[in-house]
Amino acid sequence: MLGANLGPTSVASKNDFERFKAMLNVDLSKESAQRVPTPTVGMVVPAMNEARNLPYILNRIPHFINEVILVDGASTDDTVEVAQMIRPDIKIVDQCRKGKGAALKTGFAACKSDIIIMIDADGSMDPVEISAFVGALHAGADFVKGSRFMQGGGTDDMEWYRRLGNWGFTTIVNLRFGSRFSDLCYGYIGFWRETLDQMALEKDDGFEIETSLNIQALTSQLRVHEVPSIEAPRIHGVSNLRTFPDGWRVLKTILRLGLKRTTKPCEPKPIYHR
């Protein structure tokens, strides 16, 4: 009895749909559907003697990542070999000058993806969080920065004096540039590749590049979004960060950019849906 009733009902529904489609004069065929291409996502990972930490990073990369660039800072351990063993499709590029900023700029130049995610190789940043960065970029942001000090974020790798310094730098930037950042000196950042055309990074060869990127995203009037991020302690080895010398470089970067306000707007981009 049930099967007998389904036939006429299905025909009627199909006829109703055809009449409705004709009334609207809309072509709903697959051939007529215009699909926006899905943007590609690339990771830039600066690394120097991080062979023991790379397995944590590379094995947790989300499946949608299209390109991984490892910038090798003249490692003396098995950093390159470990990276190639875990991920055979990884692209290895040699760092041209000393400093984290120099390494990142080398990686940016080598990355061909639409979206670039920069992440440390020491295991302090979880690649699983990349989904939040990419999601915000898909939703319309131009530049997305991780924050350890907004709800949902946190850090287990920051001494009190570094926390105080970061708070001071963040406050200065917020007052000078009219922003509402909750974090500043943190290198978990994602952005559309073309936004680099609006930034001058020539002088940023050290850890200050993170601050420079964040400030220039503001002065270029990009749509900036923060997402919570949890910073874990470095898994193995010792950080190359020098608190006071690198802090001085950050302060000089803030002062330099504070005297030069750029107001070139960013062109709106389409919102992509995966």
Side-chain angles (χ1 to χ4, degrees):
M1 180 64 69
L2 181 61
N5 290 333
L6 281 177
T9 303
S10 300
V11 172
S13 298
K14 182 178 180 180
N15 291 338
D16 289 342
F17 176 75
E18 293 297 333
R19 285 196 298 270
F20 178 71
K21 184 172 68 172
M23 181 177 64
L24 293 178
N25 195 27
V26 176
D27 184 3
L28 299 179
S29 64
K30 291 183 179 180
E31 292 75 16
S32 68
Q34 295 182 353
R35 296 181 179 274
V36 179
T38 300
T40 53
V41 183
M43 286 176 57
V44 173
V45 188
M48 184 175 70
N49 297 327
E50 301 286 4
R52 292 193 294 169
N53 294 323
L54 283 178
Y56 174 83
I57 297 296
L58 299 182
N59 285 323
R60 292 176 63 82
I61 293 177
H63 67 88
F64 56 79
I65 296 296
N66 305 100
E67 182 182 21
V68 181
I69 309 292
L70 186 136
V71 185
D72 180 47
S75 297
T76 56
D77 65 358
D78 296 329
T79 291
V80 173
E81 292 78 8
V82 169
Q84 292 174 329
M85 178 181 65
I86 297 174
R87 192 171 180 111
D89 64 337
I90 197 168
K91 183 176 181 179
I92 308 292
V93 294
D94 293 326
Q95 185 172 336
C96 54
R97 297 188 305 278
K98 290 185 178 180
K100 183 178 182 179
L104 285 170
K105 288 183 287 185
T106 300
F108 296 162
C111 188
K112 306 304 180 184
S113 298
D114 301 311
I115 291 173
I116 297 177
I117 305 292
M118 47 186 272
I119 186 172
D120 291 349
D122 60 3
S124 62
M125 302 172 181
D126 190 349
V128 173
E129 294 180 355
I130 291 176
S131 297
F133 290 79
V134 174
L137 291 166
H138 282 188
D142 300 309
F143 185 95
V144 181
K145 57 188 292 296
S147 172
R148 298 161 292 185
F149 301 110
M150 65 185 301
Q151 185 174 1
T155 178
D156 294 320
D157 190 37
M158 206 174 199
E159 300 86 354
W160 67 267
Y161 50 86
R162 286 181 54 210
R163 187 185 296 261
L164 179 62
N166 183 71
W167 173 84
F169 292 147
T170 303
T171 301
I172 293 172
V173 168
N174 286 340
L175 291 173
R176 179 65 183 92
F177 299 97
S179 58
R180 292 184 294 176
F181 287 165
S182 60
D183 199 353
L184 182 69
C185 305
Y186 189 47
Y188 208 164
I189 298 173
F191 48 85
W192 295 94
R193 180 162 50 91
E194 64 264 27
T195 61
L196 289 172
D197 296 336
Q198 303 184 58
M199 300 186 185
L201 302 174
E202 295 81 5
K203 298 181 180 180
D204 305 315
D205 280 350
F207 282 90
E208 74 277 2
I209 192 171
E210 301 161 357
T211 297
S212 183
L213 284 166
N214 289 330
I215 293 177
Q216 292 193 63
L218 292 172
T219 58
S220 298
Q221 296 186 350
L222 301 183
R223 290 163 292 195
V224 181
H225 185 74
E226 281 189 328
V227 295
S229 178
I230 296 178
E231 181 186 39
R234 164 183 275 273
I235 299 176
H236 300 288
V238 179
S239 172
N240 293 313
L241 175 69
R242 301 170 301 163
T243 301
F244 294 103
D246 288 322
W248 174 239
R249 292 173 69 106
V250 169
L251 180 58
K252 289 194 298 183
T253 298
I254 295 172
L255 296 175
R256 170 172 58 85
L257 295 176
L259 297 175
K260 182 180 180 181
R261 297 290 298 271
T262 304
T263 57
K264 181 179 179 182
C266 178
E267 292 297 325
K269 283 177 285 297
I271 296 178
Y272 294 93
H273 297 283
R274 294 193 65 81

